[in-house]
Amino acid sequence: MNFSEPFKLSGLLGRFSPDGKCLASCVQHRLLVRDASSLQILHLYTCVDQIQYLEWSSDSLFILCAMYKRGVVQVWSLEQPDWHCKIDEGSAGLVASCWSPDGRHILNTTEFHLRITVWSLCTKSVSYIKYPKACQQGVAFTKDGRYMAVAERRDCKDFISIFVCRSWQLLRHFDTETQDLFGIEWAPNGCVLAVWDTCLEYKVLLYSLDGRLLSSYRAYEWPLGIKSIAWSPSSQFLAIGSFDEKVRILNHVTWKKITELEHPATIASKQTVSVDPKSMETLAELGNGVSDAPVIVYKEVEKSPTVGTERLSFPPTRELASSLFSTQSKYDISQVPVSLQYIKPVADRANPKVGVGMLAFSADNCFLATKNGDFQITSLSWHSSGDSMLLLSKDNFCVCYLEREEVK
Amino acid sequence: MGDWKTITVPVLSSDSQTTFPYTSERKRSPTSMSSQVLRLSLPSSKNMHSFFSAFCTEENIEQSISYIDRELTTLGFPSIYAESKGKELNLVSMVNCMNELLVLQHKNLRAQEEIEIQHLKLGSDMDHLQNCYAKLKEQLELSKREIVGLQEKDRQLQSKNRNLHQLLKNEKDEVSCFVQKLQNVISSRATQYNHDMKRKEREYNKLKERLHQLVMNKKDKKLAMEVLNYVGRADGKRGAWRTDKTEARNEEEMYKILLSDYEQRQKQLLLENTELKKVLQQMKKDIISLLPPQKQKPKERPEDGLVLSDQEEDIGELNKENMWELSCETVREQLTNSIRKQWRMLKNHVEKLDNQVSRGHSGALNEKDVISREDHELETEKLELEIQQCKEMIRTQQQLLQQQLTCDDDTTLLLQDCYLLEERERLQEEWRLFREQKKNFEKERKSFTEAAIRLGLERKAFEEDRGAWLKHQFLSMTADCKSENMTTPSAFLRSKYLVLTQTFV
């Protein structure tokens, strides 16, 4: 694996364009667009303030730079470098900004979540969405970009509005049975919307595109509830990771739990999976990932090289210095049963660092990757072919390859 | 032994010096009988004289004798007087009486000894039994006391147990009560919290509204968006006005999307269903084929009937199902039920086979049904050999048959001719033999007839000769009868007659 020379970056804002041809990065208030293969600088744009957020439009023609402190969003074009666009929210402030799926509208969320303004780059029209919900995932677009679901809260009740993205017309507006809606997510097929409640209340509601409640699922009542949710790419399964360190998988036919995956502190040689016997027929579709196959545990081992004291020289040579301080890490296969380091989180703090915080389905529906507990991993993503996975932490990243058995 | 009691012999005064040779000291339990036995023993030789002199003295000799005589007669002895009223003693009878008395005395003493021994034995047995009885009584007492003690302990433990159970129940109740209380506390706190949250949220909303108003007012002055020129839409179309038509179109589109999704899912499910149904039917067929053909046992006949009819029904169903669509609920249920039935039967069959195998492994050679492997193999070899032989035979026969059928006409005629020739020659041979034999028979018959004729002629001649001779003899006889004295001719005559009569008999 070759590495290029490092480039300066501020705010972790480095993004490839959706078509993969360009790489946008920002340094303070400057936006650099490079060619993805040669890393040559193609364009250089200067914004009014330090850029806090960067997003490519879906057709890779425009780049959005948001400056929350100033409440300003600037849009740059790749086709026409002298084209400029500046959106000033003024005293309303700005907390979030994103593109619409068609790449021609920008949705700005004002401070205190007063409203969401939909600015259009094609027309002079401006739309407002009032009372948006101040939650983690309040706005969700369908995969095909037709519809947008927005979570709202009026009079201490949660509502969901579904808009048609083409014309920003309100399609449906209905209330949800949640106490305090925490997030919404469309299924990849665009027909079902998953709505889940705050962690004080374990509740997942499934609404159809036309606003009907299809089903609701609640695993238990009092302890802390849902931490993360993920749809499988085929929309057949919904994985729910909760604070009790378990992942529950619902199937799309009956919306009932078909299986429950545990994350025990001690990994036994054979992980058995409890299966709901009524839903056995859908288990076959889940594939090899959920079965009592043997468990392989990879443990990262850091080795720092030891240096004999007599070989030390003063001043230390460059090679010696780098070798002293570089730590090599490798992965050992640990013998099962393995007991994982388990640090009990502080009980009297909010948002404890327990539970399944990250879920990722592989692209071919075969595997589900979960992160349980306090591991310092910031992101977990699969390759589109489904046989490798990327783990990112603050300082490291790890690429995992899966050896798959040949399917005859 | 009652006689012992009636005799009252004057008991000696209790002399301490008197010792009785046959007395025995009975320490334990002197019975009335034994005391009497004691006293009836003979006195010692020391005081014998005095004892004897006490009864009969010089003065009362006659009285004592008469007394003795009376006693003896009452006892059954003969009188000691010589005569019935005389005073002369019959010495012989007296001696006899004395002897008898002595013998009687000896017998009595022996009997006494025996009785005493028995008495001793019985006494010791009694002692022993009494000892045992006493010991058993003690033991019984002990065990009774133990039982009482144990019962007492048991009662105590039971009461303790009950107390503990009660305590446990109380604790459980308390705990559940406590849990209930905690739950109530939690729910009450939750409701309180929600209420407070709602209040705060309303306040916050009010603030937001206020802020929004302020912000909106301010916003009118500034131009919010500054753009060089408006960009064309991504799909190149123009923007459209919001009208009811567009709204309706949106609705339509939405429903179309939903419907298409449902339809796709339904198609998938249908495909899955048909596949599964096919698999199930295949499985059913396989299971039916795996099951052994049901034997006709009388007790299983009703089940057999059902099973067979089931199988027939199933086969009929299969045909029916192929004709209809497979979405009918009853059809589905029938299929699953029949599969379940067949599977159960297969399971039973496999279990039976397992049992048989396990029995066979545990060395049950007595089982008639279970044949050992070598026997089985031998049998199979034999059968194979047989089959081979039969096959060969069949082949040869077929060949011959083939030859017969598929030969040309000439060859068949030739063949037939050959066979006919053979037969003809054989027949000719036989005929020849037959003719020869016939000739022989004829010859023999001729000879026989000639012989018979000759014999007849000879007979005739012989008859004539005989007749003539008889006549001659007869005539000669009458001539000789005159001389009666001639015995020798009569003898001859007699013998001749005898011979003649013999020949004619």
Side-chain angles (χ1 to χ4, degrees), chain A residues 298-341:
Chain A
Y298 292 94
K299 183 173 170 173
E300 183 178 4
V301 168
E302 284 194 354
K303 283 198 295 203
S304 39
T306 52
V307 179
T309 41
E310 62 270 17
R311 291 213 284 134
L312 278 176
S313 61
F314 190 81
T317 57
R318 195 187 163 90
E319 289 114 27
L320 196 60
S322 62
S323 73
L324 272 176
F325 290 110
S326 72
T327 53
Q328 289 181 326
S329 68
K330 62 172 246 189
Y331 285 90
D332 281 336
I333 297 182
S334 312
Q335 288 292 327
V336 283
V338 171
S339 71
L340 299 170
Q341 260 184 327

Side-chain angles (χ1 to χ4, degrees), chain B residues 69-230:
Chain B
D69 180 55
R70 251 185 289 132
E71 288 294 320
L72 284 173
T73 46
T74 49
L75 278 174
F77 288 103
S79 165
I80 54 175
Y81 287 122
E83 292 153 24
S84 52
K85 283 186 185 172
K87 290 196 183 169
E88 296 228 340
L89 294 171
N90 187 356
L91 201 65
V92 170
S93 70
M94 216 161 69
V95 167
N96 283 334
C97 286
M98 273 175 61
N99 186 40
E100 286 292 328
L101 284 171
L102 280 168
V103 165
L104 205 61
Q105 172 73 358
H106 282 310
K107 245 199 278 178
N108 288 339
L109 280 174
R110 253 179 273 135
Q112 192 184 332
E113 266 178 45
E114 276 170 28
I115 283 171
E116 277 186 357
I117 288 168
Q118 233 185 26
H119 187 251
L120 277 170
K121 273 191 209 160
L122 286 172
S124 68
D125 282 344
M126 182 94 77
D127 285 342
H128 177 69
L129 284 171
Q130 276 183 346
N131 284 342
C132 289
Y133 174 71
K135 267 190 226 160
L136 286 170
K137 245 174 110 170
E138 272 177 39
Q139 274 180 11
L140 186 68
E141 282 295 310
L142 270 169
S143 18
K144 271 194 194 159
R145 260 179 262 139
E146 259 182 51
I147 283 172
V148 164
L150 287 170
Q151 272 180 349
E152 190 54 45
K153 264 192 224 167
D154 183 44
R155 235 177 288 137
Q156 280 177 0
L157 285 171
Q158 271 194 4
S159 70
K160 228 194 268 181
N161 193 21
R162 248 178 282 130
N163 288 343
L164 287 170
H165 269 294
Q166 197 62 42
L167 276 172
L168 183 70
K169 236 203 302 182
N170 292 344
E171 288 290 319
K172 270 194 200 164
D173 288 338
E174 268 183 45
V175 163
S176 61
C177 217
F178 191 61
V179 163
Q180 193 65 41
K181 266 193 230 165
L182 277 175
Q183 278 186 343
N184 290 342
V185 161
I186 288 174
S187 49
S188 72
R189 281 182 84 91
T191 47
Q192 184 65 36
Y193 167 73
N194 286 337
H195 176 78
D196 280 342
M197 275 287 287
K198 282 209 179 108
R199 199 159 42 88
K200 289 210 166 75
E201 210 182 315
R202 273 187 218 114
E203 230 183 276
Y204 172 64
N205 284 340
K206 272 190 230 161
L207 276 169
K208 269 188 13 181
E209 287 287 317
R210 207 70 201 293
L211 187 63
H212 197 232
Q213 278 171 17
L214 289 168
V215 162
M216 288 303 277
N217 287 339
K218 263 201 171 181
K219 242 183 76 72
D220 288 342
K221 296 175 187 168
K222 240 164 90 175
L223 193 66
M225 180 153 135
E226 212 180 277
V227 65
L228 186 66
N229 56 315
Y230 284 105

